[in-house]
Amino acid sequence: MTRLAQTAGLTEVQQEILSTVRDFVDKEIIPVATRLEHRDEYPAEIVEGLKELGLFGLMIPEEYGGLGESLLTYALCVEEIARGWMSVSGIINTHFIVAYMLKQHGTQEQKDTFLPRMALGEVRGAFSMSEPALGSDVSAISSKGVRDGEEYVLNGQKMWLTNGGTSSLVAVLCRSDEGHPEGTAPHKSMTTFLVEKEPGFGEVRPGLTIPGKIDKMGYKGVDTTELIMDGLRVPANRVLGGATGRGFYQMMDGVEVGRVNVAARGCGVAQRAFELGVSYAQQRQTFGKPIAQHQAIQFKLAEMATKVEAAHAMMVNAARKKDSGERNDLEAGMAKYLASEYCKEVVEDAFRIHGGYGFSKEYEIERLYREAPMLLIGEGTAEIQKMIIGRRLLEEYRFQG
């Protein structure tokens, strides 16, 4: 273990899980990540390894075949996995958010049906809020679910669906006006539908099409897709929680956890960038000595290490707050904002330390340089985080005049 980003107060079980994951990352992910990433190839063997480790069921309760671990344990595992290759952490994150939403909000039948198979990785989850025209404005969702007897008919187009092709269960947020009179606030007329489908691309079930992978600058390997619903029929018992109008709150609960995850990813990528930078600085020589002995480079390393440490501390705090049952939207927003910004800065400093070689695809830092920007926009942009943080601070520090 390295000196940076240590977490005090972990149980022996947590330490054992993290040690196992770190070992897996060092042996099975880091050696192949850059090659797979350059090919934009899905890491099938890595995913099978994660299944065997039980990571798809890490936070699913033991009664459903999972490990029943805390959000902190999960976030620390994500940090380790992102240190190896951020795309792999995306594969388990979306799955985990759907499992978390089922655990917190699902009916007993929904939990019994999906959670045991999700714990084994047999059913893989994805969730879908965003649409082509709305970005961060979730209240502007236009996809609709209309009741028709014992089914709902879903129509609309969704965007930025991580695991869109490889997943077999998608939690989809749609507008549903049933029982909600005109003039109802937009967030009170949304419903989460649990859509089962076959993995793959094209028409994966009647009325549901996954057109293909979106070609991205980074975050490769994992499939990011659109989702098109055209007369898609979903049984009424696949409304998450069994009642319409609760979808916005259910999704926001999932995203709150997702923001801790994105913070953890930022921590992991920043850690790897620091490792690469500090290693290269001791090997590369200029003016007769390793560049690590030049004060300018030592200053960079000092700043990078401090940012890694600070981001990790905030991420751990946000996870522990959620685990304690307290509201953590302020802490999660702060952690996500800080970790993603610091990640970008640490990666860029490591890139600068590498000089011209940082621009070469032969060096791992080139991949990290393309991956870091996704964290600035995933699970809400920095600007959205600052809005959330600002509003919560005004609630906490209301002027008593």
Side-chain angles (χ1 to χ4, degrees):
M1 296 291 280
T2 60
R3 171 68 184 267
L4 293 180
Q6 295 298 296
T7 312
L10 297 181
T11 66
E12 284 186 19
V13 171
Q14 287 175 313
Q15 290 173 21
E16 192 176 322
I17 290 171
L18 285 174
S19 175
T20 302
V21 172
R22 190 178 186 89
D23 193 48
F24 180 83
V25 168
D26 286 339
K27 290 177 180 174
E28 307 295 335
I29 298 183
I30 288 176
V32 300
T34 296
R35 174 171 53 82
L36 293 175
E37 198 271 351
H38 286 167
R39 292 184 194 163
D40 198 6
E41 183 178 325
Y42 187 77
E45 287 186 23
I46 291 172
V47 169
E48 286 304 312
L50 295 175
K51 277 188 194 176
E52 289 174 21
L53 290 178
L55 285 191
F56 281 99
L58 192 62
M59 271 193 71
I60 293 174
E62 290 180 11
E63 64 193 277
Y64 299 106
L67 297 177
E69 271 296 332
S70 63
L71 176 60
L72 175 62
T73 308
Y74 178 76
L76 294 174
C77 287
V78 165
E79 183 179 40
E80 293 292 354
I81 291 167
R83 182 183 145 265
W85 183 14
M86 194 182 75
S87 293
V88 178
S89 65
I91 291 168
I92 59 171
N93 179 46
T94 47
H95 171 88
F96 157 67
I97 288 178
V98 178
Y100 174 82
M101 287 168 62
L102 274 162
K103 178 180 73 124
Q104 295 295 106
H105 306 289
T107 64
Q108 193 59 52
E109 184 269 335
Q110 290 166 355
K111 293 177 191 177
D112 291 340
T113 299
F114 295 114
L115 289 180
R117 290 184 291 152
M118 292 184 84
L120 295 171
E122 290 174 1
V123 168
R124 302 259 292 288
F127 76 105
S128 179
M129 286 194 297
S130 193
E131 295 182 0
L134 64 84
S136 297
D137 185 9
V138 179
S139 65
I141 278 175
S142 61
S143 297
K144 287 199 74 169
V146 178
R147 183 97 188 211
D148 182 20
E150 291 304 304
E151 296 179 314
Y152 285 84
V153 181
L154 275 51
N155 288 284
Q157 184 177 0
K158 292 293 191 177
M159 194 69 176
W160 308 119
L161 189 69
T162 302
N163 285 344
T166 47
S167 59
S168 46
L169 177 67
V170 186
V172 183
L173 188 64
C174 294
R175 190 167 301 290
S176 59
D177 297 328
E178 179 199 21
H180 308 291
E182 200 168 318
T184 300
H187 65 279
K188 291 183 177 177
S189 60
M190 292 184 192
T191 298
T192 304
F193 293 93
L194 300 170
V195 177
E196 297 171 80
K197 71 174 188 65
E198 289 297 316
F201 299 97
E203 189 171 16
V204 291
R205 65 175 275 186
L208 179 64
T209 301
I210 307 291
K213 292 201 298 186
I214 297 167
D215 196 15
K216 310 182 295 286
M217 173 177 80
Y219 201 39
K220 293 178 180 286
V222 60
D223 46 295
T224 306
T225 72
E226 295 174 72
L227 178 147
I228 299 167
M229 301 174 290
D230 184 10
L232 170 65
R233 290 188 167 270
V234 177
N237 66 357
R238 290 296 170 258
V239 168
L240 181 62
T244 61
R246 298 177 185 168
F248 181 80
Y249 302 104
Q250 293 163 346
M251 283 279 179
M252 289 304 107
D253 190 25
V255 166
E256 206 170 273
V257 169
R259 283 181 180 142
V260 174
N261 173 285
V262 172
R265 287 196 234 181
C267 292
V269 174
Q271 275 186 58
R272 185 60 183 161
F274 175 79
E275 288 172 11
L276 295 171
V278 75
S279 174
Y280 184 82
Q282 293 171 79
Q283 298 169 53
R284 174 82 163 110
Q285 296 214 351
T286 61
F287 308 104
K289 61 183 178 181
I291 62 172
Q293 292 182 22
H294 294 295
Q295 194 177 56
I297 300 300
Q298 288 179 14
F299 282 3
K300 273 197 192 307
L301 294 172
E303 290 168 4
M304 292 160 70
T306 303
K307 288 171 181 175
V308 166
E309 193 78 344
H312 176 83
M314 288 200 76
M315 179 271 290
V316 167
N317 180 53
R320 282 185 160 144
K321 191 108 176 177
K322 187 80 169 176
D323 282 333
S324 72
E326 295 178 74
R327 183 178 177 181
N328 87 328
D329 53 345
L330 176 65
E331 290 78 12
M334 284 180 166
K336 191 272 172 187
Y337 168 57
L338 190 86
S340 57
E341 294 290 338
Y342 275 0
C343 174
K344 172 187 64 98
E345 292 169 15
V346 171
V347 167
E348 181 161 322
D349 278 343
F351 173 83
R352 290 173 188 266
I353 287 171
H354 279 75
Y357 290 106
F359 214 61
S360 165
K361 283 186 175 287
E362 288 182 37
Y363 282 75
E364 193 179 336
I365 192 63
E366 180 271 342
R367 168 169 64 82
L368 269 56
Y369 197 80
R370 288 183 291 102
E371 288 178 339
M374 198 287 286
L375 298 169
L376 300 172
I377 52 176
E379 309 287 14
T381 62
E383 290 70 28
I384 290 291
Q385 305 310 317
K386 287 190 271 190
M387 282 171 56
I388 292 166
I389 293 165
R391 286 172 185 165
R392 286 288 287 115
L393 289 172
L394 289 172
E395 283 178 28
E396 295 287 341
Y397 291 89
R398 194 180 300 279
F399 176 63
Q400 304 292 329

